[in-house]
């Protein structure tokens, strides 16, 4: 152990209401992460572990927090919160196996260090992006509030991560919805090498909280007794009167950002001034002075902890390194779910517009799943900009049909938080284009969480998409390909009212994350027979829309309508295959039609480069080459943003070029 001076009289550990037993328990709890870290630093030097994020000097925050909350209250820690994991009694052998990338770790070797959660321990671990944790905590808090559970959820942030938009969005949503969440900012002076004054222009987070309408407190993060009693008191208050609270815990990062990066940029006197405030040594001294701790107890505790650490390490080291199994890797991508498509009960149906079929599905899914919550901008009383949720507030109440502030990232993150608590969530993007500001939550949280640590994301993001409505570059994009490339998501894209209802119901039923694309130009221009009853359609199954022997046109969404009209006007006999699901897409149906016609063209509304068609055509070239009588062709929109003026937009879209290309293919 490093010998350093301690800071006599710096701390008020003698806080009323903490019994001797609690003091002892806090101390033992505090000792564990320090001793583990000492050991990890040795292992790092020996090359036995690859990376270490130090929490040295900040342990009192995690330990105060973890002991103050009930065991079944969720905590969302960051990379310096080892004490949260040890404080929740996570078996050390599993924790070390996690650090070593072993199979019995929490992520089966798929993610590193503290990047994991454990529902059993009510811990939701971070992704590297830091800020997205805040919104997940909001979602958990929302679930607590909706089910009146009288529980607190607590999330950490560093002072550096507070510059992220997610920090702002997370606090704002919590404030507006009065969510029972404690936000603890560990104000440790640096974000990697950047000091706080280069990170933000305010001094303390207690100045920032009130701007959001959030009660804020500053505490000494190196004083475990203060952290413990403050968090305990705040949690008790929140359980009775749900509301967010911001706690700024003042502390200092005593080691490098991670071990390899060092601390050269930290002034020596600053380091020394904090060294004497060491949270473990000072508390130890206090307890010894008060006779709560004796040298013999100290020895006993250290022996016990050392033994636990060594046993845990022995077990983790004795486990052989992981062997890859592609089948297992792929099958863990999604939460297990075998869909059994549901047929409508009666034969009753009626003619519905595309937009009404979507609304009908949402309504019936809301009736079928009392745990389904809808969130989106203006979807409450106003009914959404496309009126899809018109009347829903009256039918299902404001709690389940939630108007949200203008913050896509926080709402998608909150949807994941709801899912962690067993809810289902649907998030309506006002326009698919705006998903760009919620992108990270989708591709890094929703998509990866099941693969990483087995937590499902029961979330459907609805995406009003597509051009042809003279709405310009930011209300017209086809952005399904952004997500097509992301393992872990499912993507559906119906082309008609019947499919729209059946596929939306199916997506909402499945506990995995979905992007559901709905073409705005079809909303009110297309009608079709739609069963009255609830039904679902098979995910991953394409549909042959027209049958013909001359050529296969593979497409989806608006492309289906363009393909039909073009084939008709050219008088060609085409197999038109509507993919309906883009992820996973129907390889069997694609192969079948290619084998039948020997000539294939892919049509997409999206720009040509990097679109869905590129992947599917490559697959056809590789797997169906022997059935082909002509090159595999593609048509899509111009590789430009979507222009506003109708003549430009018409030129941008692929319809006319498609007709020419189809003629070429037929004549080949
Ligand atoms: C979005 C994003 N940008 C940059 C990084 C790289 N990074 C990781 S931790 C870190 C500093 C974080 O500082 P702070 O939030 O104060 O936490 P601390 O490390 O001080 O505990 C940075 C820049 C990242 N992980 N994610």
């Amino acid at each position: 152990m490093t010998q350093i001076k301690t800071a006599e009289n710096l701390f008020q550990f003698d806080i009323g209401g903490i019994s001797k037993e609690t003091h002892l328990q806090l101390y033992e709890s505090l000792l564990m992460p320090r001793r583990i870290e000492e050991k990890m630093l040795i292992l790092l030097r020996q090359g036995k572990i690859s990376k270490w994020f130090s929490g040295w000097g900040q342990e009192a925050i995690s330990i105060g927090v973890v002991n103050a909350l009930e065991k079944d209250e969720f905590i969302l820690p960051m990379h310096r919160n080892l004490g949260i994991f040890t404080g929740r009694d996570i078996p050390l052998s599993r924790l070390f196996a996690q650090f070593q990338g072993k199979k019995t770790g929490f992520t089966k070797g798929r993610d590193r260090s503290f990047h994991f959660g454990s529902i059993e321990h009510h811990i939701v671990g971070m992704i590297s992006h830091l800020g997205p944790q805040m919104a997940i905590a909001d979602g958990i808090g929302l679930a607590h509030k909706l089910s009146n559970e009288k529980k607190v959820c607590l999330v950490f942030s560093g002072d550096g991560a507070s510059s992220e938009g997610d920090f702002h969005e997370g606090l704002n949503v919590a404030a507006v919805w009065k969510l029972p969440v404690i936000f603890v900012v560990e104000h440790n002076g640096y974000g990697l090498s950047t000091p706080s004054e280069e990170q933000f222009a305010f001094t303390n987070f207690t100045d920032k909280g009130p701007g959001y309408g959030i009660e804020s407190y500053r505490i000494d993060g190196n004083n475990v007794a203060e952290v413990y009693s403050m968090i305990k008191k705040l949690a008790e208050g929140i359980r009775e009167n749900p509301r967010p609270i911001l706690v700024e815990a003042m502390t200092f990062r005593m080691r490098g950002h991670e071990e390899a990066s060092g601390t050269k940029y930290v002034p020596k006197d600053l380091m020394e001034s904090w060294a004497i405030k060491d949270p473990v040594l000072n508390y130890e001294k206090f307890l010894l002075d008060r006779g709560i701790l004796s040298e013999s107890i100290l020895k006993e505790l250290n022996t016990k902890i050392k033994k636990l650490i060594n046993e845990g390490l022995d077990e983790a080291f004795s486990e052989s390194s992981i062997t890859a199994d592609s089948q297992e890797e792929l099958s863990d991508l999604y939460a297990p779910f075998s869909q059994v498509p549901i047929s409508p009960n009666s034969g009753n149906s009626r003619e519905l517009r595309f937009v009404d079929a979507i609304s009908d599905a949402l309504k019936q899914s809301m009736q079928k799943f009392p745990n389904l919550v809808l969130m989106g901008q203006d979807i409450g009383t106003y009914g959404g900009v496309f009126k899809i949720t018109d009347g829903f507030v009256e039918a299902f109440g404001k709690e389940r049909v939630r108007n949200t502030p203008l913050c896509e990232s926080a709402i998608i993150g909150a949807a994941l938080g709801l899912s962690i608590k067993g809810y289902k969530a649907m998030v309506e993007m006002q326009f698919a284009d705006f998903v760009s500001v919620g992108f990270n939550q989708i591709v890094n949280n929703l998509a990866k969480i099941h693969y990483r640590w087995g937590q499902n994301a029961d979330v459907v993001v609805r995406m009003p998409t597509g051009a042809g409505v003279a709405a310009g570059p930011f209300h017209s994009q086809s952005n399904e390909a952004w997500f097509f490339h992301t393992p872990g998501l499912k993507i559906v894209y119906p082309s008609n009212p019947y499919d729209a209802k059946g596929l939306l119901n199916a997506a909402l039923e499945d506990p995995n994350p979905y992007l559901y694309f709905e073409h705005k130009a079809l909303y009110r221009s297309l009608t079709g027979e739609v069963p009255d009853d609830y039904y679902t359609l098979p995910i991953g199954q394409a549909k042959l829309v027209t049958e013909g022997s001359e050529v296969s046109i593979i497409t989806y969404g608006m492309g289906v309508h363009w393909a039909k009209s073009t084939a008709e006007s050219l008088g060609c006999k085409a197999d038109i295959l509507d993919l309906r699901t883009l992820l996973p897409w129907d390889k069997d149906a694609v192969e079948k039609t290619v084998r039948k016609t020997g000539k294939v063209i892919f049509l997409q509304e999206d720009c040509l480069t990097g679109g869905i068609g590129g992947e599917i055509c490559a697959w056809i070239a590789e797997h169906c080459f022997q059935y082909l009588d002509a090159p595999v062709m593609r048509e899509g929109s111009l590789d430009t943003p979507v222009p506003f003026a109708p003549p430009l937009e018409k030129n941008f879209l692929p319809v006319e070029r498609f007709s020419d290309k189809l003629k070429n293919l037929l004549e080949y």
Side-chain angles (χ1 to χ4, degrees):
M1 195 197 312
T2 331
Q3 285 299 319
I4 60 158
K5 284 193 292 182
T6 57
E8 216 160 344
N9 301 329
L10 256 181
F11 296 107
Q12 286 292 319
F13 289 117
D14 215 353
I15 288 168
I18 301 185
S19 65
K20 283 185 179 182
E21 290 71 33
T22 305
H23 270 307
L24 262 185
Q25 187 201 330
L26 283 174
Y27 176 72
E28 182 173 351
S29 190
L30 187 62
L31 212 49
M32 181 61 98
R34 175 62 63 91
R35 293 290 171 264
I36 290 178
E37 177 153 357
E38 285 168 352
K39 188 76 186 177
M40 290 300 144
L41 294 176
I42 294 169
L43 294 177
L44 190 72
R45 280 195 291 276
Q46 293 173 342
K48 291 186 178 161
I49 55 169
S50 62
K51 213 171 180 80
W52 182 252
F53 287 91
S54 172
W56 192 294
Q58 299 186 207
E59 297 97 330
I61 303 172
S62 298
I63 295 304
V65 160
V66 77
N67 284 282
L69 295 188
E70 301 294 337
K71 291 261 185 234
D72 62 353
E73 289 181 319
F74 274 97
I75 302 181
L76 291 83
M78 300 301 288
H79 47 293
R80 307 199 191 283
N81 298 119
L82 170 61
I84 297 299
F85 297 89
T86 56
R88 282 278 160 95
D89 298 326
I90 282 191
L92 293 185
S93 55
R94 268 198 94 184
L95 189 61
F96 298 149
Q98 165 67 22
F99 294 163
Q100 293 173 17
K102 298 275 173 72
K103 179 92 182 216
T104 62
F106 287 84
T107 62
K108 298 190 191 171
R110 292 168 186 164
D111 206 341
R112 67 187 199 188
S113 59
F114 301 107
H115 293 195
F116 69 95
S118 167
I119 295 302
E120 185 194 343
H121 299 95
H122 292 83
I123 291 175
V124 176
M126 64 187 286
I127 60 169
S128 294
H129 299 65
L130 317 163
Q133 287 286 85
M134 310 268 285
I136 300 177
D138 283 350
I140 294 173
L142 176 59
H144 287 148
K145 207 171 159 180
L146 291 177
S147 40
N148 200 17
E149 280 185 84
K150 293 190 184 303
K151 284 194 194 312
V152 171
C153 169
L154 185 145
V155 60
F156 285 94
S157 171
D159 46 288
S162 77
S163 301
E164 290 184 32
D166 277 319
F167 184 85
H168 157 74
E169 291 192 14
L171 285 181
N172 189 53
V173 170
V176 173
W177 288 355
K178 297 197 171 36
L179 300 176
V181 179
I182 300 179
F183 297 90
V184 176
V185 180
E186 292 187 280
H187 194 167
N188 68 0
Y190 284 83
L192 217 154
S193 74
T194 306
S196 290
E197 61 270 21
E198 289 180 36
Q199 196 73 247
F200 41 78
F202 55 89
T203 311
N204 283 110
F205 285 86
T206 40
D207 299 331
K208 199 174 170 90
Y212 289 99
I214 295 186
E215 235 171 283
S216 303
Y217 300 89
R218 181 161 58 245
I219 57 174
D220 186 337
N222 281 27
N223 180 341
V224 70
E226 187 174 325
V227 179
Y228 169 79
S229 56
M230 184 58 134
I231 298 293
K232 201 164 167 26
K233 192 170 96 192
L234 296 177
E236 278 159 11
I238 290 175
R239 286 181 202 117
E240 287 314 309
N241 172 20
R243 65 196 191 282
I245 291 181
L246 178 68
V247 176
E248 175 180 32
M250 302 306 295
T251 186
F252 198 73
R253 203 195 65 209
M254 298 302 297
R255 303 188 67 90
H257 167 65
E258 45 86 34
E259 279 308 306
S261 60
T263 54
K264 267 193 186 145
Y265 46 84
V266 181
K268 199 163 167 273
D269 53 345
L270 187 58
M271 196 65 113
E272 282 170 1
S273 69
W274 278 95
I276 58 171
K277 295 183 201 162
D278 183 89
V280 180
L281 298 181
N282 280 288
Y283 194 44
E284 187 176 294
K285 186 169 182 315
F286 161 78
L287 296 176
L288 284 167
D289 288 351
R290 294 299 159 102
I292 298 172
L293 194 60
S294 64
E295 290 297 344
S296 66
I297 300 178
L298 195 60
K299 202 168 158 204
E300 221 174 87
L301 283 180
N302 273 296
T303 311
K304 179 174 145 192
I305 287 173
K306 195 172 169 193
K307 184 164 174 282
L308 284 172
I309 295 172
N310 286 338
E311 283 170 0
L313 276 173
D314 287 348
E315 203 174 320
F317 276 121
S318 68
E319 187 179 334
S320 50
S321 59
I322 206 154
T323 356
D325 170 354
S326 297
Q327 197 48 47
E328 189 181 350
E329 293 302 290
L330 289 169
S331 71
D332 279 353
L333 199 53
Y334 297 110
F337 177 69
S338 19
Q339 190 198 13
V340 181
I342 299 171
S343 307
N345 267 337
S346 68
N348 300 338
S349 66
R350 73 211 136 115
E351 180 106 346
L352 286 185
R353 295 178 304 176
F354 192 76
V355 71
D356 301 323
I358 295 169
S359 182
D360 209 30
L362 268 186
K363 202 176 295 159
Q364 290 182 352
S365 287
M366 284 290 273
Q367 284 154 354
K368 188 174 164 79
F369 299 108
N371 62 338
L372 173 60
V373 176
L374 311 183
M375 299 187 284
Q377 288 153 31
D378 308 292
I379 71 160
T381 316
Y382 185 68
V385 291
F386 297 109
K387 299 293 168 203
I388 285 174
T389 52
D390 206 13
F392 276 45
V393 166
E394 289 73 19
F396 303 107
K398 279 187 164 175
E399 296 290 20
R400 290 182 65 204
V401 185
R402 306 187 73 85
N403 251 354
T404 71
L406 209 161
C407 49
E408 286 72 7
S409 184
I411 299 306
I412 296 167
L416 178 55
L418 282 173
S419 171
I420 286 168
K421 284 288 297 174
Y423 280 82
K424 286 177 171 289
M426 187 288 304
V427 182
E428 176 178 302
M429 287 294 113
Q430 201 154 70
F431 286 80
D433 309 65
F434 303 145
V435 79
S436 51
V437 284
F439 190 70
N440 186 47
Q441 289 284 15
I442 295 178
V443 301
N444 284 320
N445 257 331
L446 300 187
K448 295 182 176 49
I449 196 165
H450 192 269
Y451 174 75
R452 290 169 56 239
W453 56 276
Q455 170 62 48
N456 73 304
D458 199 343
V459 179
V460 174
V461 182
R462 283 190 27 248
M463 305 275 280
T465 190
V469 286
F474 307 112
H475 289 78
S476 311
Q477 287 172 89
S478 291
N479 52 17
E480 60 276 11
W482 297 356
F483 304 98
F484 183 67
H485 186 61
T486 303
L489 298 174
K490 297 190 186 183
I491 305 177
V492 280
Y493 198 146
S495 69
N496 60 72
Y498 174 79
D499 286 353
K501 179 169 172 181
L503 288 174
L504 182 52
N505 280 336
L508 289 163
E509 185 189 46
D510 189 332
N512 287 291
Y514 272 81
L515 290 156
Y516 175 92
F517 285 86
E518 46 195 67
H519 204 294
K520 303 186 297 286
L522 295 177
Y523 275 159
R524 290 174 169 77
S525 65
L526 184 70
T527 58
E529 259 328 273
V530 177
D532 289 346
D533 297 325
Y534 177 91
Y535 64 97
T536 62
L537 291 174
I539 296 298
Q541 243 182 56
K543 187 162 83 180
L544 210 49
V545 178
T546 63
E547 294 205 40
S549 53
E550 285 180 281
V551 67
S552 299
I553 307 172
I554 304 175
T555 185
Y556 58 94
M558 188 59 95
V560 174
H561 304 281
W562 292 333
K564 277 203 274 191
S565 57
T566 309
E568 254 171 49
S569 69
L570 296 182
C572 93
K573 295 180 186 63
D575 249 12
I576 299 180
L577 187 68
D578 178 358
L579 288 173
R580 303 199 293 182
T581 307
L582 304 181
L583 252 190
W585 59 275
D586 190 344
K587 295 189 168 96
D588 292 343
V590 166
E591 180 174 338
K592 200 167 161 202
T593 184
V594 176
R595 284 176 89 136
K596 178 175 159 191
T597 67
K599 285 185 176 180
V600 59
I601 181 162
F602 196 98
L603 173 62
Q604 68 191 33
E605 177 176 336
D606 197 0
C607 305
L608 195 64
T609 302
I612 313 283
E615 171 63 24
I616 295 182
C617 291
W619 187 89
I620 294 170
E622 185 176 345
H623 297 275
C624 305
F625 185 71
Q626 64 273 39
Y627 314 121
L628 290 170
D629 296 326
V632 187
M633 294 192 181
R634 278 183 301 154
E635 197 52 79
S637 288
L638 282 188
D639 284 326
T640 67
V642 188
F644 161 62
L648 296 184
E649 190 180 36
K650 188 161 175 277
N651 177 62
F652 164 84
L653 289 171
V655 189
E656 283 172 16
R657 287 186 301 278
F658 173 66
S659 181
D660 294 342
K661 213 164 218 177
L662 184 58
K663 264 187 255 162
N664 286 345
L665 182 59
L666 288 165
E667 286 159 12
Y668 190 89

